[in-house]
DNA sequence: TATAGCAGTATACTTTAGTATACTGCTATC
DNA sequence: GATAGCAGTATACTAAAGTATACTGCTATA
């Protein structure tokens, strides 16, 4: 099961396309990646997340947290304190997203290296 | 260089965040994944891509192809036939996106399996 | 000579995503 | 008794993304 499922896509196109769609959905919009990213470092409360993600509004954060919860990526735990304490945490499945993020990081880094090498001659004629 | 760059993110947060952002950008919007997906099977002409992606309009296809070209993910080759023949192909870097798609596929499949197991008891009480 | 296919572009529009601002009830601290 | 923090919600708005429809010049085929 480990590798090269992609080349078998013609065997089962529909469910493969749906699976990829699901992953894309997990990161959709401006705020889901930062939220997942910050929760990869451990469970956090609403205000903590809000503080760690610059410029996010409580409306957006609330909306995205609900969305991620509905999709089984995070779980929400309410503690019966007063006022209530609420903690958000990645589910088992949510934590597995680190593998996808890892692949994204790897690609992004190599892509930047590749593009830099391509731009280098241009930069040299500019400074020469 | 192979693995576990994520846990070193605190060493170099900015460039890591930018790298992940780049990858996210590569797939941004409704149409980039289908376009990249179809080009992973080989170079194609404009109308071919249009035919293979249901409901895409030429305006959207044109816009997204330009975007992907500017980002160094695909290359555009014009042949001096009349009328012109144009071929789109993934760049070396673009082809590497298959690794990311692979990771997305893998996560999506496992996530669906996990969620199905979770929903199974509910389905059973419904049908019982 | 009319029609269809290629590789798109132009204009106008609708839909969705995201922002701004103000507000809720609750309680601990100043 | 006023203020601040928690965990959000409500209303109104702007900006971005995507759609619909029609059109271009070119040429091979019917």
């Amino acid at each position: 099961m480990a590798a090269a499922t992609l080349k078998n896509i013609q065997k089962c196109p529909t469910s493969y396309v749906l699976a990829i769609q699901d992953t894309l959905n997990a990161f959709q919009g401006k705020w889901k990646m930062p939220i997942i990213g910050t929760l990869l470092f451990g469970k956090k409360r609403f205000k903590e997340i809000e503080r760690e993600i610059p410029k996010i509004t409580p409306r957006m954060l609330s909306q995205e947290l609900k969305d991620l919860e509905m999709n089984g990526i995070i779980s929400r735990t309410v503690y019966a304190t007063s006022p209530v304490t609420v903690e958000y945490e990645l589910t088992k499945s949510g934590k597995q997203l680190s593998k996808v993020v890892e692949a994204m990081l790897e690609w992004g880094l190599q892509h930047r290296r590749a593009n830099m090498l391509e731009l280098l001659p241009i930069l040299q004629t500019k400074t020469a």
Side-chain angles (χ1 to χ4, degrees), chain A:
Chain A
M1 175 49 73
T5 14
L6 226 193
K7 61 179 178 189
N8 299 331
I9 196 161
Q10 278 151 332
K11 282 186 189 167
C12 196
T14 314
S15 69
Y16 280 23
V17 165
L18 289 175
I20 292 169
Q21 216 110 290
D22 282 358
T23 314
L24 240 24
N25 271 338
F27 294 113
Q28 204 149 71
K30 190 174 176 180
W31 301 111
K32 292 212 185 73
M33 176 62 94
I35 293 170
I36 291 167
T38 195
L39 289 179
L40 278 172
F41 291 106
K43 63 173 79 160
K44 301 215 168 102
R45 293 168 62 178
F46 190 91
K47 278 281 164 183
E48 281 184 272
I49 304 173
E50 195 184 342
R51 261 181 259 112
E52 287 187 17
I53 301 177
K55 307 252 174 183
I56 197 169
T57 60
R59 186 190 202 274
M60 275 296 116
L61 181 54
S62 167
Q63 193 179 104
E64 299 298 63
L65 287 171
K66 265 178 201 157
D67 218 56
L68 290 167
E69 195 195 351
M70 280 211 315
N71 285 317
I73 291 162
I74 64 173
S75 63
R76 179 176 183 271
T77 315
V78 184
Y79 297 94
T81 56
S82 187
V84 288
T85 305
V86 182
E87 270 186 348
Y88 293 93
E89 191 180 7
L90 290 172
T91 60
K92 203 182 163 195
S93 198
K95 282 172 193 158
Q96 297 298 309
L97 279 173
S98 64
K99 290 178 189 170
V100 180
V101 177
E102 188 79 35
M104 286 181 171
L105 173 59
E106 222 93 7
W107 185 85
L109 290 174
Q110 81 77 30
H111 185 60
R112 289 196 153 227
R113 280 194 300 273
N115 277 26
M116 205 171 285
L117 289 172
E118 206 172 276
L119 286 167
L120 217 61
I122 298 160
L123 289 170
Q124 282 178 335
T125 51
K126 257 191 175 172
T127 47

